[in-house]
Amino acid sequence: MKKFIILACAVIIACCSCGENKSDSSSAENKNALVSDNMGKGVNVNAEDMPFGATMTDLYADTDKVPISISYENRFMTEEEAKKISDYISALNTCNVELMQNTCYPTYLDYLVDQYENTDVQDYLDERHKTIKNNYTNGDFNFDYIIINSLMDENDSDSDTGFSILDAKIHEGSPDAEITSRKMIGIDVLYTLDGDNGSYSFSARNGSDMILYIYTIDGQIYIL
């Protein structure tokens, strides 16, 4: 269990399939899109029948009050969830303790600090930042764009999502916590390196997407 939870806590990389993406019925209801068929003619297609990634929405750091620009599927995620993802990645990027504490569920964050044998949240963030730098980006990095590539929810197999294990860990620290929504996403993060004019894909360089969990607990959205 310890190994699984640590792998799921965002800075460890894992493969994530987007073949069985799910949407909330409310977000896809009565929405249609005009696409071109192979003859170049416009064809109306129900939004729920379109593949994941067909209706992406962008939030930009310079205009939409997010710390890192993000592209997300508006049929499967809300704007508030996308903003939380941006906050979480920014907290890793800048080692911002207050931002991480406002983004990750408190008792779960305490659990991670303990499991990594860190002294506090600052030490935890510093170590995670160093791990990314030394093991993944191979240099001083700056995350500057997030792309949501895949999503799974409660309708998918628990053997694929691991929600039950995360639920148990959350309830171990907060027995009365009410979990009302669970999502697992695979993301790519674009980044630059100090002294380098290039832009790099975290997923392309490492061969797989980063895995994050979006949980709604006691009416609040958290990233795990």
Side-chain angles (χ1 to χ4, degrees), residues 140-181:
D140 292 319
F141 63 90
N142 181 57
F143 291 141
D144 58 12
Y145 207 96
I146 304 163
I147 304 169
I148 311 299
N149 284 329
S150 61
L151 181 147
M152 303 179 82
D153 61 19
E154 293 103 326
N155 295 312
D156 293 289
S157 170
D158 187 69
S159 62
D160 293 326
T161 64
F163 290 145
S164 63
I165 298 176
L166 286 176
D167 288 1
K169 186 51 61 179
I170 290 168
H171 285 134
E172 181 179 311
S174 302
D176 297 328
E178 182 181 5
I179 302 170
T180 55
S181 176

Side-chain angles (χ1 to χ4, degrees), residues 77-91:
M77 289 176 58
T78 67
E79 181 175 318
E80 186 178 0
E81 289 172 334
K83 288 181 176 180
K84 281 289 185 178
I85 294 294
S86 180
D87 286 345
Y88 189 93
I89 297 299
S90 179

Side-chain angles (χ1 to χ4, degrees), residues 78-189:
T78 67
E79 181 175 318
E80 186 178 0
E81 289 172 334
K83 288 181 176 180
K84 281 289 185 178
I85 294 294
S86 180
D87 286 345
Y88 189 93
I89 297 299
S90 179
L92 291 175
N93 190 51
T94 61
C95 298
N96 187 318
V97 172
E98 182 178 2
L99 189 58
M100 178 58 72
Q101 290 174 328
N102 290 334
T103 305
C104 186
Y105 190 64
T107 58
Y108 186 76
L109 182 57
D110 290 341
Y111 164 76
L112 292 175
V113 170
D114 180 66
Q115 288 301 301
Y116 278 102
E117 299 181 348
N118 297 123
T119 56
D120 53 24
V121 176
Q122 185 66 70
D123 186 39
Y124 169 79
L125 286 174
D126 291 342
E127 288 298 316
R128 302 291 70 74
H129 191 277
K130 186 185 299 183
T131 296
I132 296 172
K133 173 184 174 180
N134 294 339
N135 296 347
Y136 299 111
T137 63
N138 298 318
D140 292 319
F141 63 90
N142 181 57
F143 291 141
D144 58 12
Y145 207 96
I146 304 163
I147 304 169
I148 311 299
N149 284 329
S150 61
L151 181 147
M152 303 179 82
D153 61 19
E154 293 103 326
N155 295 312
D156 293 289
S157 170
D158 187 69
S159 62
D160 293 326
T161 64
F163 290 145
S164 63
I165 298 176
L166 286 176
D167 288 1
K169 186 51 61 179
I170 290 168
H171 285 134
E172 181 179 311
S174 302
D176 297 328
E178 182 181 5
I179 302 170
T180 55
S181 176
R182 306 164 180 83
K183 297 174 184 177
M184 183 180 82
I185 61 172
I187 72 171
D188 189 8
V189 185

Side-chain angles (χ1 to χ4, degrees), residues 3-15 92 116 128 131-132 135-136 202 208-212:
K3 181 178 179 181
F4 179 90
I5 294 294
I6 291 175
L7 288 175
C9 77
V11 297
I12 304 300
I13 307 305
C15 292
L92 291 175
Y116 278 102
R128 302 291 70 74
T131 296
I132 296 172
N135 296 347
Y136 299 111
F202 198 96
S208 57
D209 284 345
M210 184 185 294
I211 300 301
L212 293 176

